[in-house]
């Protein structure tokens, strides 16, 4: 068994949160904004060495390994193979006849910012007071007690990207969370995950602002709105670049006044913040691609890419992920051209295909959504294996978040985010039996004490009763 | 183009004409009352004429059903099919009335569009029947529920199988915005319908006291207060369900409950009143304060208590993807519901309850209204390979399939 990481990993991570921030203002360098003012306080709980024996693995990396063991130590996968020796004091899980996958990742969720119950007091996902609100951060709206989180966990979802809504051209920063119970959002934040920026094409922004009589009321207004924002951001970035070079030249200069809105856009231009762009239609995707080139940033993913199959060659060429539903359509004109083979066709074009929910019911069964998309592709003869398809909710999703070096596949050295399924993961009849995040058991279908329940549920659910 | 073999095969199947005889050999048959493993099914002239070893060994067309399954055609009991094309385009939305004078009398069937693209899309995935249910727009009464068939063309089978009432948090906002005021309004409406019925001639002459509903609405309610047409009441909270059960008892109404997210809490009372429940078994979130008790085994708990279940689903896609009622049913089974009960809840039960033109059951002598599935009838990796609606094979074409083929061909040239 190869041990890749020191036992003190958890401690190291914890120390990093306060001690490793190179961007902290110091008296010796230029005074730069703190890029991480709301640091993660997530800690990996200590857990015994875990050995999962004799599971059928779908690794997430287009691989199926039958009757295989997997060992977890200090939150990381340390060995995968047949008949592995069991370390002393290890906890052994017999997974014969069961299936193991990486934790599922939902890259498009509004849990916490649009929690249940859906009431106006907690409706915090769309700052629809200006078409460009890059200054708002979804994490500041997340209600950690949203009872939707625990249901997603029971469905095997270990990582979620929480995004602002799509009412604005630029809606603000998204945040990647580990799906663990916490009384603060900081306790859920995925340490050192890149931030994202939510942008939105099409009908929503023009409807929201058109009805208020301000730009944009048209798609051309949409484009003008984004471009104006990027022009401002370029100018803002230059003021800081000039400040740093003047400082480094020994001049006595004060830093420019911070502007939260432009600071986030500058983060995109500098490549720190990843663009997740709500965009249904191929013609609009092509314009967003051109605009990204005009201003020198890249797009990580097009979300709700209902016309992904029309854009597939472009997605492949531009290295942009298509984030799609299996079958949603018809609620808006821009969602009218749905095909059930969308993920399969994007994948077939060698582009990065990702399933997403955007929905608290569907997030609980992303495996079924993947299954439907795979089945549609197979029906037309695309021969998609389960091993391939599971990647649409694991490794590809991790890639779009900039986290594929840490999560998304069962590989030695990666975080032990694991789901043990009662049967084939892509079946309606299978349940997530156990869910581990960083090697810690966070959900157990057979053990009510490992079924987190939000404060909200107390006194509402019958005491001691965990509801499916 | 070699990858397009499967769709081509499907289109060949679709050209089977009704008059032909068809033998499906060795599929698992889910009749809606039982499961017949690896059994032959013989269809002649659009009718099921033999099941099992009585089936002739040859036919005009023979399909190997090995590893496949057959179920009755799917029935989704809570849709807006035929009265919406694009949700956000108001001009295509005809499922609610904003006139307070047209509520119980609001008849969605009058707005029915048989050319809707939603019909082929749902047909190719095995949906053969549905209820088109109006939503409340200007009062507690939403209007008259239509029973429709997704044949070619799609058509209205019965334009008034029930009258819908919305007694959810949203519905009561049309009646004083309190459950208490809504209940008073409902009772007043029913009292007025009774009074109107007894004094119809005078009322039509304009020789009566003021009523709480328009004459059109009062007339529409006549079959309800006479117990002929069911009142279909959408409501979720356990205490609201009790309220409605009491109203139905007091007025001797034929009641059907819809929604019933907290139904499991009052399952015995619903069963004792012999009231069927239309529900989506996938709903397990406290989406609103009337749904705090939501749970995935609501269907199982209701069935255990003896309640007749009728399914809709899945969640917000119950119109454009009304065929996904099958996925909701599959999840109910994954959470404890008996499989045959689940299949009956989207075939036999609604067909019987609403008097469909098909039995909703695979039975000798019945018109063939059924689906051949590539695998398990409820699993998400099974596809509809053959759909017979009221004895006629469905063309396996839809706008989505046309789009798919257009772009796949372009990509592989």
């Amino acid at each position: 068994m190869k041990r890749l990481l020191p036992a003190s990993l958890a401690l190291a991570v914890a120390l990093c949160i306060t001690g490793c921030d190179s961007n902290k203002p110091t008296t010796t360098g230029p005074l730069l904004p703190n890029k991480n003012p709301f640091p993660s306080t997530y800690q990996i709980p200590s857990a015994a060495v875990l050995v999962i024996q004799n599971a059928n693995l779908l690794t997430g990396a287009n691989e199926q390994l039958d009757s295989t063991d997997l060992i977890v130590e200090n939150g990381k996968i340390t060995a995968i193979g047949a008949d592995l020796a069991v370390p002393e004091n290890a906890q052994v899980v017999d997974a014969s006849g069961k299936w193991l996958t990486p934790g599922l990742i939902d890259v498009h969720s509004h849990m916490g910012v649009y929690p249940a119950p859906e009431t106006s007091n907690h409706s915090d996902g769309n700052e629809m007071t200006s078409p460009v609100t890059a200054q708002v951060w979804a994490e500041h709206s997340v209600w950690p007690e949203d009872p939707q989180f625990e249901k997603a966990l029971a469905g095997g979802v270990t990582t979620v990207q929480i995004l602002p809504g799509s009412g604005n051209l630029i809606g603000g920063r998204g945040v990647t969370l580990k799906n663990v119970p916490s009384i603060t959002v900081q306790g859920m934040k995925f340490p050192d995950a890149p931030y994202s920026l939510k942008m939105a094409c099409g009908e929503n922004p023009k409807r929201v602002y058109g009805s208020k009589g301000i730009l944009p009321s048209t798609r051309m207004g949409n484009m003008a709105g984004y471009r104006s924002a990027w022009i401002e951001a370029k100018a803002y970035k230059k003021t800081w670049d000039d400040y740093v070079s003047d400082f480094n030249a020994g001049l006595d200069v004060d830093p420019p006044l911070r502007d939260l809105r432009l600071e986030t856009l500058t983060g995109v231009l500098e490549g720190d913040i990843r663009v997740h762009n709500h965009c249904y239609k191929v013609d609009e995707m092509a314009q967003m691609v051109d605009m990204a080139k005009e201003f020198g940033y890249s797009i990580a993913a097009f979300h709700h890419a209902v016309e992904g199959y029309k854009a597939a060659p472009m997605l492949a060429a531009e290295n942009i992920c298509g984030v799609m539903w299996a079958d949603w359509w018809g609620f808006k004109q821009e969602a009218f051209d749905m095909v059930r083979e969308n993920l399969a066709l994007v994948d077939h074009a060698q582009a990065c295909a990702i399933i997403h929910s955007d929905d608290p019911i569907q997030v609980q069964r992303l495996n079924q959504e993947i299954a439907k998309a795979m089945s549609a592709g197979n029906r037309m003869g695309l021969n998609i294996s389960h091993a391939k398809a599971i990647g649409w909710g694991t490794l590809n999703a991790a890639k779009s978040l900039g986290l594929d070096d840490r999560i998304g596949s069962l590989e030695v050295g990666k975080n032990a985010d694991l789901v043990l399924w009662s049967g084939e993961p892509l079946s309606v009849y299978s349940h997530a039996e156990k869910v581990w995040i960083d090697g810690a058991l966070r959900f157990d279908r057979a053990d009510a004490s490992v079924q987190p329940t939000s404060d909200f549920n107390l006194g509402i659910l019958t005491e001691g009763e965990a509801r499916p | 183009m070699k990858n397009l073999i499967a769709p081509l095969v499907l289109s060949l199947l679709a050209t089977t004409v009704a008059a032909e005889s068809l033998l499906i050999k060795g599929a698992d048959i889910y009749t809606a009352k039982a499961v017949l493993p690896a059994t032959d099914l013989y269809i002649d002239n659009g009718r099921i004429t033999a099941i099992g070893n009585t089936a002739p060994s040859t036919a005009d067309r023979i399909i190997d059903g090995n590893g496949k399954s057959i179920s009755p055609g799917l029935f989704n009991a809570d849709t807006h099919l035929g009265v919406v094309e694009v949700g956000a385009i108001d001009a295509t939305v005809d499922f609610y009335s904003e006139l307070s004078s047209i509520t119980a009398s609001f008849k969605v069937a009058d707005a029915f569009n048989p050319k809707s693209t939603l019909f082929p899309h749902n047909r190719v995935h095995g949906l053969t029947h549905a209820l088109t249910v109006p939503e409340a727009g200007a009062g507690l009464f939403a209007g008259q529920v239509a029973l429709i068939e997704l044949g070619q063309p799609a058509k209205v089978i019965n334009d008034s199988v029930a009258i819908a009432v919305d007694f959810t948090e949203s519905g009561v906002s049309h009646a004083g915005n309190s459950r208490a005021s809504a209940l008073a309004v409902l009772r007043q409406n029913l009292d007025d319908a009774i009074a109107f019925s007894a004094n119809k001639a005078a009322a039509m002459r304009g020789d009566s006291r003021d009523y709480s509903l328009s004459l059109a609405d009062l007339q529409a309610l006549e079959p309800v207060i006479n117990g002929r047409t069911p009142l279909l009441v959408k409501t979720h909270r356990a205490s609201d369900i009790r309220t409605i059960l009491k109203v139905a008892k007091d007025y001797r109404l034929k009641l059907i409950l819809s929604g019933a997210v907290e139904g499991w809490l009052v399952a015995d009372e619903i069963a004792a009143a012999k009231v069927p429940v239309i529900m989506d078994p996938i709903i397990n979130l406290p989406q609103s304060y009337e749904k705090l008790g939501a749970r995935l085994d609501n269907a199982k708990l209701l069935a255990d208590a003896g309640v007749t279940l009728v399914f809709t689903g899945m969640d917000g896609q119950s119109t454009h993807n009304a065929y996904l009622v099958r996925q909701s049913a599959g999840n109910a089974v994954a959470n404890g519901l008996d499989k045959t009960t689940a299949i009956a809840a989207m075939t036999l039960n609604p067909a019987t309850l609403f008097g469909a033109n098909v039995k909703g059951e695979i039975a000798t002598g019945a018109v063939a209204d059924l689906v051949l599935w590539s695998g398990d009838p409820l699993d998400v990796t099974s596809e509809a390979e053959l759909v017979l609606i009221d004895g006629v094979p469905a063309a396996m074409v839809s706008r989505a399939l046309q789009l798919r083929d257009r772009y796949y061909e372009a990509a592989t040239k």
Side-chain angles (χ1 to χ4, degrees):
Chain A
M1 192 185 70
K2 209 164 97 183
R3 247 175 74 165
L4 286 187
L5 284 149
S8 57
L9 177 90
L11 185 60
V13 169
L15 286 174
C16 243
I17 286 158
T18 48
C20 305
D21 187 350
S22 58
N23 295 310
K24 265 194 146 171
T26 67
T27 50
T28 55
L31 290 167
L32 298 177
N34 176 5
K35 290 188 179 179
N36 191 20
F38 306 95
S40 170
T41 56
Y42 169 77
Q43 306 252 6
I44 302 173
S46 66
V49 174
L50 171 68
V51 182
I52 299 170
Q53 285 182 329
N54 216 20
N56 298 317
L57 272 56
L58 297 177
T59 67
N62 196 14
E63 223 182 349
Q64 178 172 336
L65 305 172
D66 291 339
S67 302
T68 298
D69 299 348
L70 181 143
I71 298 182
V72 175
E73 229 169 316
N74 299 313
K76 301 281 179 188
I77 299 169
T78 53
I80 297 172
D83 303 320
L84 298 177
V86 176
E88 224 174 292
N89 300 324
Q91 190 212 341
V92 177
V93 173
D94 176 12
S96 303
K98 295 175 182 174
W99 292 69
L100 193 69
T101 68
L104 296 173
I105 301 165
D106 191 358
V107 301
H108 195 117
S109 174
H110 301 298
M111 289 190 294
V113 302
Y114 283 118
E118 295 157 12
T119 50
S120 59
N121 60 302
H122 266 148
S123 174
D124 290 326
N126 252 322
E127 183 56 48
M128 291 183 288
T129 48
S130 166
V132 177
T133 56
Q135 69 271 34
V136 305
W137 298 24
E139 67 197 75
H140 297 145
S141 279
V142 170
W143 178 44
E145 300 294 339
D146 179 359
Q148 296 173 148
F149 284 116
E150 69 209 38
K151 297 297 183 195
L153 180 66
V157 173
T158 54
T159 305
V160 286
Q161 175 168 245
I162 308 300
L163 292 167
S166 54
N168 292 350
L169 296 171
I170 299 179
R173 283 198 202 201
V175 64
T176 299
L177 303 179
K178 289 180 182 278
N179 193 7
V180 293
S182 170
I183 56 168
T184 66
V185 72
Q186 290 94 325
M188 305 173 78
K189 282 178 76 175
F190 197 116
D192 302 317
Y195 273 108
S196 59
L197 179 70
K198 173 73 177 287
M199 295 179 67
C201 297
E203 292 182 25
N204 289 4
K206 84 184 191 92
R207 185 187 64 245
V208 169
Y209 292 95
S211 70
K212 298 180 200 233
I214 58 173
L215 184 140
S217 69
T218 60
R219 284 185 164 84
M220 59 188 174
N222 285 357
M223 288 302 291
Y226 316 119
R227 295 174 77 208
S228 300
W230 291 122
I231 288 165
E232 277 186 78
K234 290 281 238 195
Y236 178 77
K237 179 173 180 298
K238 185 170 184 305
T239 63
W240 280 91
D241 290 347
D242 288 350
Y243 159 69
V244 171
S245 60
D246 287 351
F247 182 94
N248 289 339
L251 299 178
D252 181 18
V253 281
D254 289 330
L257 185 64
R258 286 176 67 187
D259 180 319
L260 284 176
R261 180 167 157 274
L262 299 173
E263 197 169 288
T264 290
L265 297 180
T266 297
V268 172
L269 296 173
E270 289 176 342
D272 294 339
I273 296 176
R274 303 171 66 82
V275 172
H276 284 261
N277 197 334
H278 156 127
C279 210
Y280 286 76
K281 294 175 74 244
V282 61
D283 50 330
E284 292 177 65
M285 290 182 211
Q287 288 172 340
M288 299 308 273
V289 166
D290 278 354
M291 181 173 65
K293 289 175 180 165
E294 180 185 12
F295 293 100
Y297 68 92
S298 48
I299 300 167
F302 286 124
H303 289 229
H304 314 336
V306 163
E307 295 188 4
Y309 64 102
K310 300 185 188 180
M314 178 178 74
L315 298 177
E318 302 292 337
N319 195 26
I320 299 172
C321 292
V323 181
M324 295 159 276
W325 292 292
D327 46 30
W328 279 22
W329 73 290
F331 41 95
K332 293 188 284 183
Q333 189 69 53
E334 62 190 357
F336 200 60
D337 281 5
M338 184 280 302
V339 304
R340 290 172 68 244
E341 298 78 4
N342 201 12
L343 279 101
L345 290 170
V346 167
D347 192 281
H348 184 66
Q350 314 285 316
C352 158
I354 300 173
I355 197 79
H356 74 332
S357 80
D358 187 25
D359 178 77
I361 291 285
Q362 290 210 350
V363 70
Q364 302 177 47
R365 44 193 67 84
L366 284 177
N367 58 319
Q368 293 176 25
E369 298 305 305
I370 290 168
K372 288 187 292 180
M374 175 191 74
S375 179
N378 285 339
R379 171 184 152 122
M380 71 175 289
L382 293 178
N383 295 322
I384 302 152
S385 66
H386 290 216
K388 175 77 170 178
I390 200 78
W392 299 343
T394 56
L395 190 56
N396 286 3
K399 183 183 158 193
S400 79
L401 300 179
L403 292 172
D404 50 324
D405 57 338
R406 279 163 273 179
I407 58 173
S409 59
L410 304 181
E411 288 178 77
V412 170
K414 280 206 170 175
N415 295 0
D417 290 0
L418 312 169
V419 185
L420 185 67
W421 300 90
S422 59
E424 283 199 353
L426 302 187
S427 167
V428 77
Y429 300 116
S430 294
H431 291 285
E433 286 192 347
K434 293 184 196 309
V435 182
W436 292 269
I437 298 177
D438 291 315
L441 186 64
R442 292 293 190 169
F443 175 79
D444 189 337
R445 194 171 155 81
D447 182 353
S449 73
V450 198
Q451 294 169 0
T453 192
S454 124
D455 289 354
F456 179 80
N457 293 328
L458 298 186
I460 286 174
L461 302 185
T462 309
E463 204 175 340
E465 179 188 22
R467 289 208 193 134
Chain B
M1 291 293 295
K2 62 177 161 48
N3 286 335
L4 284 177
I5 288 164
L8 287 175
V9 170
L10 290 171
S11 58
L12 284 176
L13 284 177
T15 60
T16 309
V17 294
E20 279 181 340
S21 58
L22 171 66
L23 173 64
I24 305 173
K25 287 179 74 77
D28 294 340
I29 301 178
Y30 291 77
T31 70
K33 287 183 178 166
V35 189
L36 311 174
T39 299
D40 293 351
L41 182 78
Y42 192 85
I43 296 162
D44 192 21
N45 203 16
R47 206 165 274 278
I48 298 168
T49 53
I51 297 171
N53 45 24
T54 59
S57 58
T58 178
D60 295 337
R61 178 164 191 80
I62 299 175
I63 297 173
D64 179 6
N66 184 36
K68 299 177 181 182
S69 67
I70 294 169
S71 76
L74 305 182
F75 188 131
N76 187 324
D78 193 2
T79 81
H80 301 141
L81 282 169
V83 285
V84 61
E85 198 65 24
V86 178
I89 298 182
D90 199 42
T92 76
V93 175
D94 287 316
F95 55 73
Y96 65 98
S97 160
E98 289 178 349
L99 292 174
S100 57
S101 58
I102 304 292
T103 62
S105 57
F106 178 72
K107 198 174 262 189
V108 276
D110 290 341
F112 187 75
N113 172 23
K115 293 281 282 175
S116 166
T117 63
L118 282 69
F119 288 123
H121 179 68
N122 280 289
R123 184 189 295 142
V124 302
H125 298 303
L127 191 78
T128 67
H129 290 79
L131 293 189
T132 299
V133 181
E135 300 292 335
L140 282 177
F141 287 95
Q144 302 183 43
V145 178
L147 166 65
I148 64 165
E149 182 206 272
L150 280 77
Q152 295 154 263
K155 54 181 173 284
V156 174
I157 301 294
N158 184 337
D159 65 6
S160 188
V161 292
I163 288 186
V165 166
D166 187 344
F167 206 78
T168 66
E169 288 173 354
S170 156
V172 303
S173 71
H174 296 298
N177 212 15
S178 157
R179 288 170 169 85
S181 58
L183 178 62
V185 167
L186 181 59
R187 287 183 175 276
Q188 191 180 16
N189 291 163
L190 292 168
D191 287 341
D192 284 358
I194 292 164
F196 168 82
S197 186
N199 303 284
K200 207 159 156 190
M204 296 309 273
R205 281 198 310 272
D207 187 16
S208 65
R209 65 169 171 84
D210 287 345
Y211 291 126
S212 59
L213 289 173
S214 70
L215 294 184
D217 286 347
L218 292 170
Q219 259 186 315
L221 284 175
E222 210 170 355
V224 171
I225 51 139
N226 292 339
R228 290 201 308 274
T229 297
L231 197 65
L232 192 162
V233 182
K234 186 169 284 189
T235 193
H236 296 296
R237 202 171 78 178
S239 62
D240 296 337
I241 293 171
R242 276 204 185 101
T243 297
I244 294 301
L245 288 173
K246 173 95 168 52
V247 169
K249 192 177 172 205
D250 291 351
Y251 288 86
R252 294 189 210 159
L253 306 175
K254 198 191 275 188
L255 177 67
I256 298 170
L257 286 168
S258 170
V261 162
E262 291 192 345
W264 65 277
L265 281 164
V266 286
D268 290 340
E269 291 160 66
I270 299 171
K274 297 188 170 19
V275 171
V277 174
I278 298 173
M279 52 100 66
D280 181 355
I282 209 85
I283 302 301
N284 72 332
L285 292 172
Q287 293 156 322
S288 54
Y289 272 81
E290 63 192 337
K291 299 180 183 173
L292 294 181
R295 53 187 296 162
L296 269 177
D297 53 2
N298 190 21
K300 178 206 163 25
L301 297 172
L302 285 166
D304 286 352
V307 175
T308 298
L309 294 178
V310 175
F311 283 164
T312 183
M314 171 182 160
D315 192 28
Q317 283 283 291
S318 65
T319 294
H320 284 81
N321 289 327
Y323 69 94
L324 290 179
V325 64
R326 189 170 71 97
Q327 190 180 356
S328 279
N331 278 277
V333 173
N335 288 281
L337 186 67
D338 169 70
K339 199 165 169 182
T340 298
T341 306
I343 286 175
M346 53 178 184
T347 57
L348 179 61
N349 295 355
T352 307
L353 186 58
F354 298 107
N357 53 331
V358 299
K359 285 191 80 166
E361 183 189 352
I362 307 290
T364 305
V367 166
D369 191 90
L370 56 83
V371 186
L372 175 68
W373 302 101
S374 62
D376 181 279
L378 297 182
D379 214 340
V380 279
T381 47
S382 299
E383 299 281 334
E385 295 192 343
L386 173 70
V387 181
L388 287 160
I389 305 179
D390 195 12
V392 181
M396 299 302 260
V397 290
S398 70
R399 189 171 180 276
L401 290 169
Q402 285 176 297
L403 278 165
R404 174 196 77 177
D405 291 346
R406 167 179 287 194
Y407 281 88
Y408 184 66
E409 281 166 30
T412 50
K413 259 180 191 149

